[in-house]
């Protein structure tokens, strides 16, 4: 049995406006898993992921992280620890969140910022090893030749691949992917998901992703969690999600959309 | 019908409006003894009385469901607008119309507009002679004018250049989206207030202060422009910082970068071009202001201008005005082209 990398216990999040985004959420993530979180928009998927790297602050509960280099309760971490957490837990966003006017290579190198001194990063002096690393990961996602283009000149799918390279440059133990393909066309969807699977299987990095499409979930997930109104309503293997589960998660009126 | 919500802005606007009308009618009809005008208490009392009376009127009108101009401007936006009504059939229309007429009448009295003075023969002849001299500049003064305007241009350049680093750093401390948290909020509010005060003091006043401090000359003028530029650029820069998109900031933050790295990698690339554009424009403005500042002893071409103007040597003044006009026009063109290219 492989080791637990993340243990979430009784996690709740109430926003200042009173919205309860997460209600007593508990689950575990094993090392090397490809965990996918599903649920309607507003069910708390994004909030959950953003609590795991403290882009959002949880209201109560614990998030025990057992990494190789880091062992702590994420929910209690203070500012310097939060930076260590973010260094070890990379994140991929729906809108890629690259710096538009900077080159692709510089964008990948920002993944190394946590390991670079403020002064050196200020003067744009990068470690030779870091540059090689950045180029290696651009190679891995197949856009090595775009390294010196401006990030905003790339297509959506290419930008998301740059974001993957940036996250890999951090050498994380866990990657959070918040709707990584929601703003891409169906064909590009699969390319990006394939790269995420490659990262998960070949580099052995644990993956937690939010997804909309069940067809993608069935294809890529090793395990699934479903959220409804901030609570976990399903936990299990993707093959277990039958019609009645689907209606329970998405509501009676919902119909499944298939993408090829 | 829903009860109208109380609006403080409506009350202040209408109080000022009606108060102004009441006070003007009072002064025109009663014609109080001019001796009162040097009495501060009398003046303040009259103003306050008018304002309070205006506020009471505004409340009364609102009670009787008359829509005042203040109500139209600041009241609830859900009120249905009857498009078929002209301004003359609405209360707010009349209120606005009468206020504007009253403003115009008081304005005519206060600025002592006089057609007679404009048509005065002697006055007109004097102006013609002056204009003739200005149009025939004494070009012997050209070398001195050029040397002096170079001084002015560099005053403006140094003021802008030295203001950049201050404004650059301070702009992040006075941007709302960066200054989060209780302590940061205090810094943000005090910086904003401080620079609003600095900006509301004209560069001309700063020049007078600095000409006492470091003696009359271009250095005083440069310092005055610099202070004003720091305040203005900080405001413009920080407004740019407030419009950056959040995405890249989160993207860089999520890698574990610290605050300074996040600003440098996620915000600065987004604001660099507008920053340069504002700075070029500020230099352009500073050259024009430096000319004026010279008039009070800030050095450069303005000082030369006030010397010859004082001696009524209009042909020399003409030469100086010509040089100023050409330089200002050239810089204006240059800054426009540069800012276009930066877009």
């Amino acid at each position: 049995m492989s080791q637990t990398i993340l243990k979430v216990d009784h996690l709740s999040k109430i926003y200042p406006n009173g919205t309860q985004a997460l209600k007593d959420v508990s689950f575990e993530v094993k090392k090397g898993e490809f965990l996918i979180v599903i649920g309607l928009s507003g069910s708390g998927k994004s909030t959950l992921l953003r609590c795991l790297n403290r882009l959002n602050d949880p209201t109560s509960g614990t998030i025990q992280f057992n990494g190789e280099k880091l062992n702590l309760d994420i929910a209690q971490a203070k500012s310097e620890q939060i930076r260590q957490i973010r260094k070890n837990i990379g994140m991929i966003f729906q809108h890629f969140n690259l710096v538009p006017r900077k080159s692709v290579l510089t964008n990948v190198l920002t993944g190394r910022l946590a390991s670079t001194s403020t002064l050196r990063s200020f003067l744009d002096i990068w470690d030779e090893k870091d540059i090689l690393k950045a180029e290696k990961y651009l190679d891995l996602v197949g856009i090595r030749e775009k390294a010196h283009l401006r990030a905003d000149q790339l297509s959506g799918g290419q930008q998301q691949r740059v974001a993957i390279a940036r996250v890999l440059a951090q050498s994380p133990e866990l990657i959070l992917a918040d709707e990584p393909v929601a703003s891409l066309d169906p064909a590009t969807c699969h390319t990006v998901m394939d790269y995420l699977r490659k990262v998960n299987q070949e580099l052995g990095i644990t993956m937690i992703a939010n997804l909309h499409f069940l067809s993608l979930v069935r294809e890529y997930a090793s395990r699934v969690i479903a959220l409804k109104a901030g609570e976990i309503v399903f936990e299990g293997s993707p093959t277990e999600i039958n019609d009645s589960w689907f209606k329970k998660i998405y509501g009676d009126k919902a119909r499944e959309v298939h993408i090829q | 019908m829903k009860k109208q919500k109380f609006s403080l802005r409506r009350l202040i606007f209408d109080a000022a409006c009606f108060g102004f009308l009441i006070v003007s009618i009072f002064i025109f009809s009663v014609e109080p003894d001019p001796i009162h005008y040097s009495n501060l208490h009398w003046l303040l009392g009259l103003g306050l009385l008018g304002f309070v009376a205006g506020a009471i009127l505004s409340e009364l009108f609102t009670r009787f469901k008359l829509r005042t101009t203040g109500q139209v401007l600041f009241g609830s936006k859900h009120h249905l607008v009857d498009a078929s009504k002209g301004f003359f059939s609405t209360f707010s229309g009349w209120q606005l119309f009468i206020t504007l007429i009253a403003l115009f009448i008081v304005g005519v009295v206060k600025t002592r507009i006089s057609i007679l003075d404009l048509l005065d023969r002697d006055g007109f002849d004097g102006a013609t002679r002056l204009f003739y001299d200005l149009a025939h500049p004494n070009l012997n003064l050209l070398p001195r004018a050029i040397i002096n305007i170079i001084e002015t241009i560099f005053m403006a350049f140094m003021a802008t250049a030295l203001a950049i680093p201050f404004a650059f750093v301070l702009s992040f401390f006075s941007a709302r989206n960066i200054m989060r948290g209780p302590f940061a909020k205090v810094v943000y509010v005090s910086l904003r207030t401080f620079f609003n005060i600095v900006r509301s003091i004209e560069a001309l006043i700063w020049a007078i202060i600095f000409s006492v401090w470091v003696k009359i000359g271009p250095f005083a003028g440069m310092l005055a422009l610099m202070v004003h530029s720091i305040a203005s650029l900080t405001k413009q820069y920080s407004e740019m910082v407030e419009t950056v998109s959040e995405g890249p900031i989160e993207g860089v933050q999520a890698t574990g970068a610290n605050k300074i790295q996040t600003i440098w990698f996620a915000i600065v690339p987004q604001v660099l071009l507008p920053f340069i554009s504002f700075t070029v424009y500020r230099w352009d403005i500073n050259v024009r202001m430096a000319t004026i500042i010279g008039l009070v002893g800030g050095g450069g071409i303005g000082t030369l201008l006030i010397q010859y103007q004082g001696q009524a040597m209009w042909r020399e003044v003409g030469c100086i005005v010509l040089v100023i006009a050409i330089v200002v026009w050239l810089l204006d063109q240059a800054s426009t082209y540069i800012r276009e290219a930066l877009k």
Side-chain angles (χ1 to χ4, degrees):
Chain A
M1 198 71 197
S2 70
Q3 159 206 0
T4 302
I5 187 165
L6 195 75
K7 190 170 187 304
V8 176
D9 262 314
H10 306 294
L11 186 70
S12 289
K13 165 74 184 177
I14 301 168
Y15 281 106
N17 65 11
T19 317
Q20 178 145 27
L22 295 174
K23 251 181 251 169
D24 198 28
V25 170
S26 302
F27 63 95
E28 280 183 27
V29 186
K30 302 260 185 256
K31 211 171 166 359
E33 266 194 296
F34 198 128
L35 176 71
I36 288 183
V37 184
I38 56 171
L40 287 168
S41 306
S43 60
K45 307 189 298 284
S46 280
T47 307
L48 175 62
L49 249 60
R50 293 166 64 88
C51 280
L52 299 184
N53 70 348
R54 289 294 296 277
L55 280 179
N56 284 355
D57 294 331
T59 313
S60 62
T62 59
I63 308 166
Q64 185 59 39
F65 182 68
N66 295 319
E68 271 157 31
K69 288 166 260 171
L70 201 64
N71 265 298
L72 52 83
D73 176 12
I74 292 173
Q76 296 299 324
K78 296 276 175 289
S79 60
E80 188 50 37
Q81 289 172 315
I82 291 177
R83 288 187 42 215
Q84 289 304 313
I85 291 163
R86 289 178 181 166
K87 189 179 157 185
N88 280 281
I89 304 181
M91 190 167 207
I92 290 166
F93 300 83
Q94 176 180 355
H95 299 291
F96 331 129
N97 290 1
L98 302 179
V99 184
R101 287 183 179 276
K102 289 274 183 182
S103 74
V104 165
L105 186 65
T106 308
N107 265 292
V108 179
L109 282 168
T110 55
R112 299 301 305 159
L113 279 177
S115 318
T116 308
S117 78
T118 305
L119 186 68
R120 283 176 72 98
S121 57
F122 206 66
L123 298 172
D124 226 353
I125 303 171
W126 298 96
D127 210 335
E128 195 59 38
K129 270 188 264 166
D130 287 345
I131 295 175
L132 288 176
K133 205 171 190 176
E135 285 172 341
K136 183 179 96 186
Y137 289 129
L138 278 176
D139 234 350
L140 188 119
V141 292
I143 39 175
R144 172 84 171 75
E145 73 285 356
K146 310 261 187 212
H148 296 286
L149 287 181
R150 255 172 61 165
D152 52 0
Q153 291 175 328
L154 268 52
S155 70
Q158 290 170 332
Q159 287 196 37
Q160 196 60 299
R161 280 144 72 188
V162 176
I164 295 174
R166 172 172 73 183
V167 118
L168 291 177
Q170 289 176 235
S171 317
E173 294 180 60
L174 171 67
I175 291 176
L176 312 171
D178 188 9
E179 309 279 5
V181 294
S183 44
L184 301 175
D185 62 69
T188 326
C189 252
H190 279 286
T191 325
V192 167
M193 286 308 296
D194 284 341
Y195 280 118
L196 287 181
R197 175 154 63 190
K198 192 170 161 188
V199 166
N200 175 247
Q201 291 180 346
E202 289 177 19
L203 305 178
I205 301 174
T206 315
M207 190 80 63
I208 305 179
N210 287 342
L211 281 184
H212 269 312
F213 295 112
L214 270 181
S215 52
L216 290 177
V217 175
R218 292 197 185 97
E219 191 174 345
Y220 295 94
S222 65
R223 201 156 61 89
V224 179
I225 284 177
L227 284 178
K228 190 176 184 185
E231 287 178 288
I232 294 186
V233 291
F234 174 87
E235 190 174 352
S237 130
T239 49
E240 291 172 43
I241 306 177
N242 52 26
D243 230 37
S244 73
W245 271 116
F246 179 82
K247 284 208 159 46
K248 202 167 173 191
I249 298 165
Y250 289 99
D252 287 333
K253 297 248 171 60
R255 282 175 53 206
E256 200 181 332
V257 178
H258 288 274
I259 70 166
Q260 305 307 317
Chain B
M1 197 175 152
K2 235 175 81 179
K3 200 174 169 293
Q4 286 284 4
K5 226 181 88 202
F6 177 76
S7 156
L8 185 65
R9 286 181 217 177
R10 185 264 302 163
L11 190 67
I12 293 173
F13 181 90
D14 282 342
C17 221
F18 295 131
F20 169 71
L21 284 173
I22 293 167
V23 172
S24 339
I25 291 169
F26 169 74
I27 286 175
F28 274 109
S29 52
V30 179
E31 288 187 8
D33 191 344
I35 198 134
H36 290 311
Y37 291 137
S38 54
N39 183 342
L40 182 67
H41 294 259
W42 190 85
L43 283 178
L44 282 181
L46 182 65
L48 209 64
L49 229 74
F51 190 80
V52 170
I56 293 169
L57 269 182
S58 168
E59 269 309 291
L60 279 180
F61 286 138
T62 314
R63 284 286 151 77
F64 286 108
K65 298 238 167 11
L66 283 169
R67 278 172 63 80
T68 58
T69 315
Q71 187 70 37
V72 172
L73 270 177
F74 301 112
S76 71
K77 299 281 180 210
H78 307 296
H79 191 88
L80 289 174
V81 179
D82 191 351
S84 61
K85 278 189 186 169
F87 86 93
F88 42 83
S89 56
T90 63
F91 182 82
S92 59
W94 276 107
Q95 184 192 342
L96 192 65
F97 181 71
I98 292 172
T99 309
L100 287 177
I101 294 289
L103 276 173
F104 191 79
I105 293 171
V106 174
V108 167
V109 173
K110 279 281 126 190
T111 54
R112 303 197 192 122
I113 287 182
S114 154
I115 300 292
L116 285 180
D117 283 352
L118 204 58
L119 297 176
D120 183 64
R121 186 79 225 171
D122 287 346
F124 185 73
D125 284 347
T128 320
R129 264 197 314 281
L130 197 155
F131 192 76
Y132 179 84
D133 281 353
L134 283 179
H136 293 79
N138 177 3
L139 292 179
N140 289 332
L141 197 70
L142 207 52
R144 263 194 81 192
I146 290 173
I147 293 293
N148 272 271
I149 197 133
I150 288 175
E151 196 173 286
T152 297
I153 293 172
F154 275 98
M155 264 164 68
F157 174 75
M158 286 311 286
T160 318
L162 294 177
I164 294 170
F166 290 102
F168 182 83
V169 173
L170 287 169
S171 66
F172 295 104
F173 289 100
S174 34
R176 198 178 313 137
N177 53 346
I178 295 186
M179 302 305 277
R180 285 178 183 147
F183 175 68
K185 207 60 179 252
V186 173
V187 175
Y188 161 80
V189 172
S190 20
L191 266 179
R192 276 269 155 132
T193 317
F194 175 71
F195 281 119
N196 278 339
I197 294 168
V198 172
R199 256 181 320 113
S200 64
I201 301 173
E202 280 292 320
L204 203 68
I205 309 294
W206 286 112
I208 294 169
I209 295 169
F210 280 115
S211 62
V212 173
W213 189 346
V214 300
K215 288 188 227 51
I216 283 173
F219 185 41
M222 193 282 278
L223 285 174
L225 287 176
M226 187 182 91
V227 169
H228 199 262
S229 298
I230 291 175
S232 303
L233 282 179
T234 302
K235 183 183 160 64
Q236 288 178 312
Y237 285 179
S238 61
E239 275 167 3
M240 268 342 288
V241 173
E242 285 176 356
T243 61
V244 296
S245 50
E246 278 291 312
I249 301 177
E250 273 191 349
V252 173
Q253 248 173 9
T255 67
N258 64 33
K259 193 109 191 175
I260 296 175
Q261 289 172 327
T262 308
I263 290 177
W264 190 247
F265 279 88
I267 299 180
V268 172
Q270 292 190 62
V271 294
L272 201 59
L273 283 186
F275 273 25
I276 295 173
S277 171
F278 281 133
T279 312
V280 171
Y281 190 46
R282 183 50 50 187
W283 185 31
D284 179 17
I285 292 173
N286 276 347
V287 171
R288 269 175 278 166
M289 280 170 100
T291 317
I292 305 297
I293 274 173
L295 299 178
V296 296
I301 192 94
T303 305
L304 198 68
L305 179 70
I306 201 84
Q307 278 169 14
Y308 284 98
Q309 187 263 334
Q311 301 171 57
M313 294 168 75
W314 301 118
R315 294 194 56 198
E316 284 69 18
V317 170
C319 176
I320 295 166
V321 169
L322 182 72
V323 170
I324 294 174
I326 291 172
V327 167
V328 166
W329 178 75
L330 280 176
L331 274 176
D332 186 64
Q333 291 291 311
S335 105
T336 309
Y337 280 124
I338 292 172
R339 281 180 291 126
E340 274 299 316
L342 283 176
K343 265 176 196 162

